[in-house]
Structure formats: structure tokens, C-alpha cells
């Protein structure tokens, strides 16, 4: 076995005597890397990812991103529908205000229809009046349609108008 040199020696002190530095016959001298040198350790198995694992992870991320993009498309479609119905409700309410400001009884005597160009979307409206059990009151329904698809109304608003008594 190799005998270790004295530890804690001062600079300039005498070297270790030769009798202490002898090795056993056939022993391999210890080789130490120089100070500051990096030691190269072989990578252990399992470090890093295989190509198959990376491809599976990328496919999962791709599927998730496609699902998010699909949801965003549906969100935009719903947002436009909500915006269109909101404008349709404003058109109907504007028509009711016109009835209230004018002679509501004579304006509701027959069915009417018209177009409204004040909103972002081209819309048309239809107004219908129905008699009620009370002779001086009518039920007025205003339906607002998208001009491109007039088969289903975007909104329906109902109000009642009365005939004023004349003394």
C-alpha cells in the first residue's frame, strides 16, 4: 500500500523521505487530474429523452393547441351573434319609442315593416298589432330580422298601446 506523505507541511519544508514514498510491488500509481480540470463522467442511462418521447409530447401539444384554436373560433362566432342580437333589440326599442312619440293607436292599425340602417348589421323589422279583450288596448309585437336571413327573427319585443279617452 502507498504511504501518504505528511499533511500540513509548510512551504519550503523538506520533502518526504524516500522510505515513506515506496509502493507495493505491482501497484498502479494514483493519477489525479490537474487542479481546475473538469472530470468527464459518462452519462447514466435514462438521461434525456428519446426521439419517440419527444414526438409524443409534440403531438399532445399540437392536439391541445388545435382544440384551443377551435374554441376561439366558436367564441368569435358567439360574440358576433350576441352583438347582432343586441343591435336587433335596440332597433326594436327604437321602433317602440317612435310609437310612443307618435300617434300609437293609428300607427298600430295595420301591419308595418321597414328597414333600419343605423346599426352595423343590415336589419329589417316587422310590426304586428293584435286586439286585446279591452277595446281601448292593442298588443304590438315587433320582430327584427337580419336582412340576409329573414326566416328567424333575432329578437321579438312586445308592448301594449292604449287609445286615449276623448271627452
Amino acid at each position: 500500500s502507498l504511504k501518504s506523505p505528511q499533511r500540513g507541511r509548510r512551504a519550503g519544508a523538506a520533502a518526504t523521505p524516500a522510505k515513506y514514498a515506496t509502493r507495493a510491488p505491482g501497484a498502479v500509481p494514483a493519477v489525479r487530474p490537474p487542479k481546475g480540470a473538469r472530470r468527464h463522467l459518462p452519462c447514466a442511462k435514462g438521461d434525456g429523452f428519446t426521439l419517440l418521447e419527444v414526438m409524443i409530447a409534440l403531438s399532445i401539444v399540437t392536439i391541445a393547441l388545435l382544440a384551443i384554436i377551435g374554441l376561439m373560433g366558436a367564441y368569435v362566432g358567439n360574440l358576433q351573434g350576441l352583438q347582432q342580437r343586441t343591435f336587433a333589440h335596440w332597433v326594436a326599442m327604437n321602433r317602440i319609442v317612435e310609437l310612443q312619440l307618435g300617434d300609437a293607436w293609428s300607427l298600430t292599425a295595420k301591419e308595418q315593416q321597414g328597414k333600419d340602417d343605423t346599426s352595423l348589421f343590415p336589419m329589417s323589422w316587422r310590426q304586428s298589432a293584435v286586439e286585446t279583450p279591452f277595446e281601448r288596448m292593442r298588443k304590438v309585437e315587433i320582430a327584427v330580422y337580419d336582412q340576409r336571413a329573414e326566416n328567424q327573427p333575432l329578437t321579438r319585443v312586445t308592448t301594449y298601446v292604449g287609445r286615449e279617452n276623448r271627452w
Side-chain angles (χ1 to χ4, degrees):
S1 82
L2 178 64
K3 294 186 178 183
S4 62
Q6 291 179 351
R7 294 184 186 234
R9 237 178 11 160
R10 290 181 292 164
T16 306
K19 64 179 184 172
Y20 294 115
T22 58
R23 291 188 288 274
V28 178
V31 177
R32 293 187 182 181
K35 279 190 172 181
R38 288 188 186 189
R39 297 168 117 199
H40 177 69
L41 297 175
C43 292
K45 272 195 166 183
D47 286 356
F49 297 103
T50 64
L51 179 61
L52 180 63
E53 291 170 332
V54 171
M55 295 300 288
I56 290 172
L58 284 176
S59 65
I60 291 171
V61 168
T62 302
I63 290 170
L65 288 176
L66 287 174
I68 290 172
I69 289 170
L71 288 174
M72 291 302 293
Y75 171 75
V76 168
N78 287 338
L79 182 64
Q80 184 178 9
L82 285 172
Q83 193 176 31
Q84 205 170 18
R85 286 191 297 274
T86 300
F87 280 115
H89 188 74
W90 289 346
V91 168
M93 293 304 291
N94 286 343
R95 184 66 192 143
I96 288 175
V97 169
E98 288 175 16
L99 287 175
Q100 291 172 345
L101 292 175
D103 183 14
W105 192 257
S106 63
L107 290 174
T108 59
K110 59 180 179 157
E111 272 199 33
Q112 294 183 357
Q113 60 184 4
K115 294 186 180 192
D116 185 85
D117 299 323
T118 60
S119 67
L120 296 175
F121 307 99
M123 295 189 190
S124 61
W125 53 268
R126 289 187 197 136
Q127 171 185 310
S128 60
V130 178
E131 297 295 330
T132 64
F134 306 103
E135 64 182 62
R136 296 191 177 274
M137 186 166 285
R138 286 186 186 144
K139 175 183 170 183
V140 178
E141 184 177 84
I142 299 170
V144 180
Y145 300 86
D146 183 2
Q147 285 183 6
R148 296 170 292 194
E150 293 197 21
N151 55 353
Q152 183 70 24
L154 294 170
T155 190
R156 289 183 192 271
V157 177
T158 303
T159 189
Y160 292 88
V161 296
R163 185 174 195 177
E164 296 179 14
N165 283 335
R166 299 199 183 195
W167 297 87

CSV table of all heavy atoms in Angstrom, one decimal, residues 33-39:
chain,number,residue,atom,x,y,z
A,33,PRO,N,-6.3,14.3,-11.8
A,33,PRO,CA,-6.4,15.3,-12.8
A,33,PRO,C,-5.8,16.6,-12.3
A,33,PRO,O,-5.8,16.8,-11.1
A,33,PRO,CB,-7.9,15.4,-13.1
A,33,PRO,CG,-8.6,14.9,-11.8
A,33,PRO,CD,-7.6,13.9,-11.3
A,34,PRO,N,-5.3,17.4,-13.2
A,34,PRO,CA,-4.8,18.7,-12.7
A,34,PRO,C,-5.9,19.5,-12.0
A,34,PRO,O,-7.1,19.4,-12.3
A,34,PRO,CB,-4.3,19.4,-14.0
A,34,PRO,CG,-4.7,18.5,-15.1
A,34,PRO,CD,-5.2,17.3,-14.6
A,35,LYS,N,-5.4,20.4,-11.2
A,35,LYS,CA,-6.4,21.3,-10.5
A,35,LYS,C,-7.2,22.1,-11.5
A,35,LYS,O,-6.6,22.6,-12.4
A,35,LYS,CB,-5.7,22.2,-9.5
A,35,LYS,CG,-5.4,21.5,-8.2
A,35,LYS,CD,-4.9,22.6,-7.2
A,35,LYS,CE,-4.7,22.0,-5.8
A,35,LYS,NZ,-4.3,22.9,-4.9
A,36,GLY,N,-8.5,22.3,-11.2
A,36,GLY,CA,-9.3,23.1,-12.1
A,36,GLY,C,-9.8,22.4,-13.3
A,36,GLY,O,-10.6,22.9,-14.1
A,37,ALA,N,-9.3,21.2,-13.6
A,37,ALA,CA,-9.8,20.4,-14.8
A,37,ALA,C,-11.1,19.8,-14.5
A,37,ALA,O,-11.4,19.4,-13.3
A,37,ALA,CB,-8.8,19.4,-15.2
A,38,ARG,N,-12.0,19.7,-15.5
A,38,ARG,CA,-13.3,19.1,-15.3
A,38,ARG,C,-13.2,17.6,-15.4
A,38,ARG,O,-12.4,17.1,-16.2
A,38,ARG,CB,-14.3,19.6,-16.4
A,38,ARG,CG,-14.7,21.0,-16.2
A,38,ARG,CD,-15.8,21.2,-17.2
A,38,ARG,NE,-16.2,22.6,-17.2
A,38,ARG,CZ,-17.2,23.1,-17.8
A,38,ARG,NH1,-17.9,22.3,-18.6
A,38,ARG,NH2,-17.5,24.3,-17.8
A,39,ARG,N,-13.9,16.9,-14.6
A,39,ARG,CA,-14.0,15.5,-14.7
A,39,ARG,C,-15.1,15.1,-15.7
A,39,ARG,O,-16.2,15.6,-15.6
A,39,ARG,CB,-14.3,14.8,-13.4
A,39,ARG,CG,-13.2,15.2,-12.3
A,39,ARG,CD,-13.7,14.8,-11.0
A,39,ARG,NE,-12.9,13.7,-10.4
A,39,ARG,CZ,-13.3,12.9,-9.5
A,39,ARG,NH1,-14.5,13.0,-9.0
A,39,ARG,NH2,-12.5,12.0,-9.0
